Amino acid sequence: MGSIFTSYEYYYAWNKINDTDKVSNGIAALLTMIKGAFSKERVVAILRDFVYYSDDAADETAIVARYPQFFAANKMFENIKRHMRPEGDGKGGTYFGATGCGKTYTMLFLSRLLGLRDQDTFANPTMVIITDREDLDRQTSELFVASKRYLHDDNVRSIGSRQDLQDALSADATGAESGGVLLTTIQKFCESTGLLSNRSNIICISDEAHRTQTGVGSKLKRTEEGVYTSFGFAKYLRDSFPSATYCGFTGTPIDETIAVFGEIVDSYTMKESSDDGITVRIAYEPRLARVILSDEQAREIQKYYDKWTEDGSNPDQVEESKKAMSEMRRVLGHPDRLKKLAKDIVAHYEAFTAQKPEIVQKAMIVCADRALAFRLLKEIVALRPDWNVPRRAEDEAALTKPELEKLAPLAKINLVATRDKDDVKELYDLCGTKDYRKMLDKQFKNENSNFRIAVVVDMWITGFDVRSLAVMYIDKPLQKHTLIQTISRVNRVFDGKDMGLVVDYIGIKQDLLEAVKKYGGPQESPVDEIAISLSVFRNHLALIDELLYDFKATKFFTGKPLERLRCLDAAAEDVQISKEMESRFMNLSCKLKAAYEICFPSGELTETETAKAQFYLAIRAIIYKQTKGDVPDAEIMNRVVEKMVQEAITCTGIENIVNADEPEDLFSDEFMKQLDEVKLPITKFNALLKLLRKAISGYGKVNKVKAIEFDTRLRAVVENYNNRDKLVFTSEVVADFINGLSEELVKILSDLQSDKTSFEALGITYVEKAFFDILVKVRDDHAFSYPDEKCIVLAKEIKALVDDKAQFADWSTRADIKNQLNMDLTVLLYKNGYPPEWDEEVFEKVLEQAEKFKRYGD
């Protein structure tokens, strides 16, 4: 369905007769269009109110409402009428429309209905269209201001300032007639705005009603000067129009949206929008592994997400969230990571655009903050200097003179961000003025412009429509409605564009799945990743098959329960026979696991693929449990295999030897018996290694110097284990080699246990023993003579000195007390004949140990 002026790609099906019907496709869609759009009453309603022409004579485009816009505008109209004050509660309702489905036109259609229909109820109402960002306000204003003839109202205007807002409604006090459509940002409403109109025929329509437009409650703000009560812009808006009716439009409604504007009146989800061809589908490509520098960085990123999940929505935790984000920026801003990120984006974008060189495919790079965006831009320009050369178009010769006149000379890649007075000069100049950013906005939307890649932080990631935007690179933590709003920038229909692509460099997948589940619709996800994941899954399954080619796994698939358990144990042992094989298996199985999580629920895997994957993931779980901790794969295995893994781990004896919740008498008869019962050498080694690490970590809290010594010995054993690939193994000698390393671990454990109780033989306390070990360590490192007996005496005096200073609760944070401790310790060492050239080293170690005692208690 369309007009005679409509391009073919914008024709659409009218897939419902009534809004509550199910979507019809194929030949059935023809019947729904006949009954739903061309019945007598319906076609009259469409022709009367739902065909739009701009006031601009040069614009011959005819806009015919789509069926979701038609139903939404009519249902919102009726709901506003029911809830209008003074009889109603003033909550006109919420429209939940997928980002990119044409909500701005739906607001325009609704405004016409409110202005022209049922005037006995509305009495020439004033519509106030409210956004929360200048770029969104500008985009909305351009449409409405050019629609005066369609709205039958000459008083359609964009409000430029707070004074302009007051002037526009000041006539209310004199009783002037109402009417008009005013477009403004919510930030223009503040405490000083006050009452503007008490009329009840004012309809406030809020776009993006999930953000600043829901803040009607109060918040406490604590400063050094006192505690203050502050309010959001939405509260001041309602103070200005206390009798108005408020309705909200959003693609991502949150609880506050519904509480402020009323229940969802109508919805049109991302899934429905992409199925109807109103938006294109979104594909997801994870590339975090290509830019991460270490496991530590991955853990830092995950730690930030965990913190955000726990605290992010709680306004009382804002400062904690800022601290967490500071840590995240440190990870994201690592110079080597930025270089890898720039290199990967350049390679990816060039390969992506090369697939369809005839199609304009613009890109957006979303960064965590302005400083990171600026640094990344410089890294990219360093790789592709030509991208920084200003041009009007990539091929100016291919354009006509009128087309070229609309273009400004710009680099291929540009930063889009606001200025800050504290910016370095280069960044300050690069961000430019407000007019400069308006120019960038206009040029990026022009398909002919040389401006192809925008580097952004907060600007343009919501409410910004560029049809040719095909790929988005995300390097910023995003969640919930902000994530959906951001990725939806790439879902606009454009000639030759099959889909929009989201490239993930930060690990948003889980948040994306949760957000899509909440906002995407009740059916399947509109984000295509099953086909990609199936390919990844089968590729990695084949690689692991090849890796374990010599292992006979028949018993796992056909044997009895005990045989299957033993097969799992043997497989885990076999995988760890060399460090190279273990590392390769864990790496491959990690990627297999990620793909399996996506593919298994889809039903696309065969029974054989499922069984083999669960076998490999069970092996991974056993190794993970032995070497690192809790099993990570339980949620993706069926209950039989999950139970089997736990039983396999238990039957090896690891659970009895290493129990994180209970203290263990390391050399009791019971312990040694349990240790002897572990017959698998690598399994036994891993158990002892885990236990020893825990013991050393605990000892480090009370005696750091000795803990470091034991840790050095442990690292030497681990290095031998990790270098086992250099030895020429036969299966018969593996056990002897690994058991030899296990005996070394047992010896370290024995020595550690003896050292922990050695203070008794010295006639001192364990606290004094820690200071004694410091004195002996410094003495031995620098090879000077100082008897143990004198070290004992001195350690006792150091303990008394530290106790004297530690009587102040804040001693460890006060520079004056620490300086006094340093001075007193220097005098004490001198009086006892301890060589003065090592005073500072002794002080630093004593202070560190004293702080550990303070932190962990006696």
Side-chain angles (χ1 to χ4, degrees):
M1 183 170 169
S3 75
I4 58 174
F5 305 106
T6 304
S7 301
Y8 175 75
E9 65 267 26
Y10 293 106
Y11 271 82
Y12 65 94
W14 193 284
N15 287 337
K16 293 182 180 180
I17 298 174
N18 296 301
D19 186 48
T20 55
D21 296 345
K22 290 186 176 181
V23 170
S24 299
N25 293 302
I27 193 66
L30 178 60
L31 299 177
T32 60
M33 184 171 68
I34 292 172
K35 295 181 180 180
F38 291 104
S39 64
K40 180 179 177 181
E41 296 80 8
R42 192 66 62 77
V43 73
V44 168
I46 292 171
L47 291 173
R48 183 181 62 181
D49 292 320
F50 291 89
V51 179
Y52 167 74
Y53 291 92
S54 172
D55 293 346
D56 186 354
D59 186 356
E60 297 181 350
T61 304
I63 305 293
V64 181
R66 304 182 181 111
Y67 76 88
Q69 294 170 321
F70 176 84
F71 290 130
N74 278 295
K75 290 177 74 173
M76 288 294 290
F77 175 79
E78 294 298 330
N79 198 68
I80 290 169
K81 187 163 64 172
R82 284 194 298 271
H83 289 268
M84 268 190 74
R85 288 190 171 107
E87 289 80 11
D89 59 7
K91 295 182 179 182
T94 301
Y95 173 59
F96 173 13
T99 302
C101 73
K103 287 192 297 295
T104 307
Y105 277 101
T106 304
M107 290 192 294
L108 182 66
F109 297 137
L110 173 61
S111 297
R112 178 182 168 95
L113 292 178
L114 292 169
L116 299 180
R117 308 299 160 218
D118 202 348
Q119 288 306 293
D120 289 341
T121 299
F122 292 104
N124 192 25
T126 298
M127 274 77 75
V128 183
I129 312 299
I130 305 164
T131 58
D132 67 349
R133 283 204 335 275
E134 288 186 1
D135 52 346
L136 190 56
D137 178 56
R138 182 169 60 252
Q139 182 175 295
T140 306
S141 297
E142 286 174 357
L143 173 64
F144 272 77
V145 172
S147 307
K148 294 176 181 177
R149 185 172 56 192
Y150 172 77
L151 293 169
H152 285 241
D153 196 327
D154 289 333
N155 185 23
V156 181
R157 60 173 174 156
S158 176
I159 301 298
S161 66
R162 287 174 178 168
Q163 185 60 49
D164 193 12
L165 178 65
Q166 291 176 328
D167 292 344
L169 289 156
S170 60
D172 280 8
T174 63
E177 65 176 292
S178 54
V181 180
L182 307 179
L183 299 107
T184 184
T185 57
I186 196 167
Q187 287 82 359
K188 292 186 175 68
F189 295 88
C190 63
E191 189 173 2
S192 62
T193 305
L195 177 67
L196 292 176
S197 176
N198 203 27
R199 287 191 285 115
S200 61
N201 67 336
I202 294 177
I203 313 297
C204 293
I205 303 174
S206 291
D207 194 8
E208 302 298 352
H210 57 274
R211 295 195 298 239
T212 53
Q213 312 224 28
T214 61
V216 295
S218 63
K219 295 180 181 179
L220 287 181
K221 183 178 181 181
R222 187 174 63 186
T223 69
E224 293 180 356
E225 300 174 355
V227 178
Y228 301 91
T229 301
S230 63
F231 296 91
F233 296 115
K235 193 264 186 187
Y236 299 126
L237 168 65
R238 281 155 180 76
D239 289 345
S240 299
F241 305 122
S243 300
T245 298
Y246 296 85
C247 58
F249 281 63
T250 179
T252 49
I254 57 178
D255 292 342
E256 289 87 344
T257 305
I258 296 169
V260 170
F261 296 101
E263 294 297 322
I264 294 175
V265 176
D266 196 23
S267 64
Y268 188 62
T269 66
M270 291 176 69
K271 175 67 170 57
E272 292 172 308
S273 178
S274 61
D275 284 350
D276 288 344
I278 291 174
T279 56
V280 298
R281 293 185 70 83
I282 300 173
Y284 168 80
E285 182 178 348
R287 292 175 80 88
L288 172 64
R290 295 175 180 267
V291 299
I292 207 71
L293 296 177
S294 65
D295 291 341
E296 180 63 27
Q297 281 199 344
R299 284 193 293 271
E300 285 286 347
I301 290 173
Q302 187 57 50
K303 180 180 176 182
Y304 175 78
Y305 270 111
D306 291 343
K307 182 69 177 173
W308 199 358
T309 300
E310 180 182 349
D311 297 335
S313 60
N314 185 343
D316 295 331
Q317 301 295 332
V318 170
E319 289 305 316
E320 288 298 318
S321 296
K322 287 180 179 178
K323 291 177 183 176
M325 188 62 206
S326 177
E327 284 299 304
M328 174 64 113
R329 289 190 178 102
R330 180 181 60 78
V331 173
L332 299 183
H334 192 288
D336 292 341
R337 182 187 181 277
L338 282 179
K339 290 182 185 297
K340 293 180 73 172
L341 177 61
K343 185 177 180 180
D344 196 70
I345 289 176
V346 168
H348 185 279
Y349 183 68
E350 288 179 337
F352 180 78
T353 54
Q355 295 175 12
K356 293 183 177 180
E358 73 283 0
I359 304 298
V360 175
Q361 298 181 91
K362 298 202 174 189
M364 187 178 287
I365 304 171
V366 184
C367 298
D369 65 30
R370 296 160 63 258
L372 290 173
F374 178 50
R375 290 170 59 195
L376 178 60
L377 174 65
K378 292 203 291 186
E379 292 289 351
I380 292 174
V381 168
L383 292 171
R384 294 292 183 274
D386 189 57
W387 288 11
N388 201 37
V389 177
R391 297 185 178 92
R392 293 182 183 273
E394 285 194 344
D395 184 5
E396 296 182 7
L399 301 179
T400 64
K401 185 177 180 180
E403 288 175 330
L404 282 173
E405 288 174 350
K406 295 179 180 179
L407 302 176
L410 286 172
K412 184 172 184 173
I413 182 169
N414 292 279
L415 175 65
V416 183
T418 54
R419 281 174 166 172
D420 187 281
K421 60 183 178 61
D422 296 325
D423 287 338
V424 297
K425 186 177 187 305
E426 187 180 1
L427 175 57
Y428 185 85
D429 293 342
L430 193 63
C431 291
T433 63
K434 183 177 178 180
D435 288 338
Y436 172 74
R437 292 191 295 275
K438 284 183 180 179
M439 182 272 294
L440 288 181
D441 180 313
K442 188 174 182 180
Q443 293 295 311
F444 197 63
K445 291 174 179 176
N446 190 317
E447 294 151 19
N448 294 324
S449 174
N450 186 56
F451 182 13
R452 297 298 176 95
I453 306 171
V455 183
V456 304
V457 179
D458 295 316
M459 296 187 70
W460 293 10
I461 64 174
T462 60
F464 183 73
D465 296 340
V466 177
R467 299 186 313 137
S468 57
L469 183 60
V471 57
M472 175 175 285
Y473 300 98
I474 296 183
D475 195 43
K476 176 180 182 175
L478 297 168
Q479 286 188 324
K480 301 177 183 177
H481 54 274
T482 305
L483 176 53
I484 288 295
Q485 291 281 340
T486 302
I487 69 170
S488 296
R489 297 309 103 209
V490 298
N491 74 353
R492 303 315 195 256
V493 174
F494 184 62
D495 188 25
K497 178 177 168 183
D498 301 320
M499 64 179 183
L501 178 62
V502 172
V503 180
D504 174 17
Y505 286 109
I506 200 167
I508 60 167
K509 181 185 142 187
Q510 188 58 42
D511 296 287
L512 178 61
L513 294 176
E514 291 176 5
V516 164
K517 182 178 180 181
K518 183 171 184 178
Y519 301 118
Q523 300 103 351
E524 70 202 67
S525 165
V527 180
D528 289 321
E529 59 177 0
I530 294 297
I532 297 172
S533 297
L534 273 172
S535 174
V536 171
F537 172 83
R538 285 169 178 153
N539 181 45
H540 284 80
L541 192 68
L543 289 172
I544 298 177
D545 284 343
E546 183 179 328
L547 184 66
L548 300 185
Y549 177 79
D550 291 330
F551 183 79
K552 306 302 180 185
T554 306
K555 291 291 185 182
F556 177 83
F557 300 106
T558 62
K560 295 177 181 179
L562 186 57
E563 291 175 325
R564 300 185 74 190
L565 286 175
R566 288 173 177 168
C567 183
L568 271 179
D569 291 340
E573 194 82 2
D574 191 72
V575 165
Q576 296 176 85
I577 198 168
S578 74
K579 181 64 177 176
E580 180 184 357
M581 184 172 186
E582 178 188 345
S583 298
R584 191 171 176 213
F585 174 83
M586 294 302 281
N587 182 266
L588 291 173
S589 61
C590 179
K591 294 173 182 175
L592 179 77
K593 171 181 174 286
Y596 181 83
E597 288 176 340
I598 299 167
C599 299
F600 180 69
S602 72
E604 296 286 342
L605 303 182
T606 66
E607 290 184 12
T608 301
E609 288 174 332
T610 300
K612 287 170 70 175
Q614 290 176 341
F615 174 56
Y616 295 144
L617 294 183
I619 297 170
R620 172 182 172 77
I622 292 170
I623 297 173
Y624 199 101
K625 179 68 175 180
Q626 288 179 2
T627 59
K628 295 183 180 179
D630 293 336
V631 180
D633 304 295
E635 73 278 10
I636 64 164
M637 296 182 220
N638 63 39
R639 292 181 179 177
V640 175
V641 175
E642 178 184 343
K643 184 178 179 182
M644 187 184 304
V645 169
Q646 190 57 44
E647 289 175 352
I649 292 168
T650 303
C651 79
T652 63
I654 296 175
E655 290 290 85
N656 293 331
I657 294 173
V658 183
N659 189 322
D661 299 323
E662 299 177 9
E664 185 71 65
D665 183 359
L666 299 182
F667 298 98
S668 66
D669 292 340
E670 180 63 22
F671 175 81
M672 299 308 295
K673 179 182 176 182
Q674 291 174 0
L675 192 61
D676 289 338
E677 287 175 353
V678 181
K679 302 303 181 185
L680 302 175
I682 295 176
T683 299
K684 179 190 292 186
F685 176 83
N686 285 329
L688 284 167
L689 181 62
K690 186 175 179 182
L691 182 63
L692 183 52
R693 280 174 170 157
K694 182 171 66 173
I696 292 174
S697 176
Y699 197 30
K701 295 175 182 178
V702 295
N703 195 324
K704 182 177 179 182
V705 166
K706 278 295 182 181
I708 291 174
E709 288 184 17
F710 287 114
D711 186 63
T712 301
R713 291 173 61 184
L714 172 64
R715 288 175 182 272
V717 175
V718 172
E719 184 175 0
N720 285 335
Y721 177 75
N722 288 338
N723 290 333
R724 61 194 184 276
D725 295 2
K726 297 178 181 178
L727 304 176
V728 179
F729 279 132
T730 63
S731 58
E732 289 76 20
V733 301
V734 172
D736 290 339
F737 174 75
I738 301 297
N739 282 333
L741 295 179
S742 294
E743 288 172 6
E744 290 186 50
L745 294 182
V746 171
K747 180 66 168 63
I748 298 173
L749 269 171
S750 176
D751 292 346
L752 188 151
Q753 195 74 357
S754 297
D755 191 81
K756 287 175 70 174
T757 58
S758 64
F759 66 89
E760 297 172 350
L762 294 172
I764 56 179
T765 67
Y766 77 94
V767 174
E768 292 166 345
K769 167 71 164 51
F771 296 131
F772 168 81
D773 288 330
I774 290 172
L775 296 170
V776 172
K777 170 70 173 170
V778 174
R779 179 196 69 186
D780 293 346
D781 284 352
H782 299 291
F784 59 84
S785 178
Y786 195 83
D788 283 356
E789 294 77 16
K790 295 185 70 173
C791 285
I792 291 174
V793 173
L794 186 51
K796 290 180 178 180
E797 295 189 32
I798 291 175
K799 163 70 163 53
L801 182 61
V802 170
D803 286 347
D804 178 65
K805 298 297 181 287
Q807 63 181 305
F808 302 97
D810 59 347
W811 72 269
S812 62
T813 59
R814 286 178 54 181
D816 59 330
I817 295 179
K818 287 194 286 187
N819 289 338
Q820 186 62 48
L821 175 61
N822 192 359
M823 187 182 304
D824 292 349
L825 183 61
T826 300
V827 172
L828 183 62
L829 294 173
Y830 176 79
K831 286 182 177 180
N832 283 271
Y834 201 90
E837 56 264 47
W838 315 119
D839 287 359
E840 196 61 34
E841 183 176 350
V842 172
F843 168 72
E844 289 175 359
K845 292 183 183 296
V846 166
L847 180 63
E848 186 175 14
Q849 186 61 62
E851 288 175 341
K852 281 186 174 292
F853 284 133
K854 173 180 169 64
R855 186 179 308 128
Y856 297 111
D858 292 337

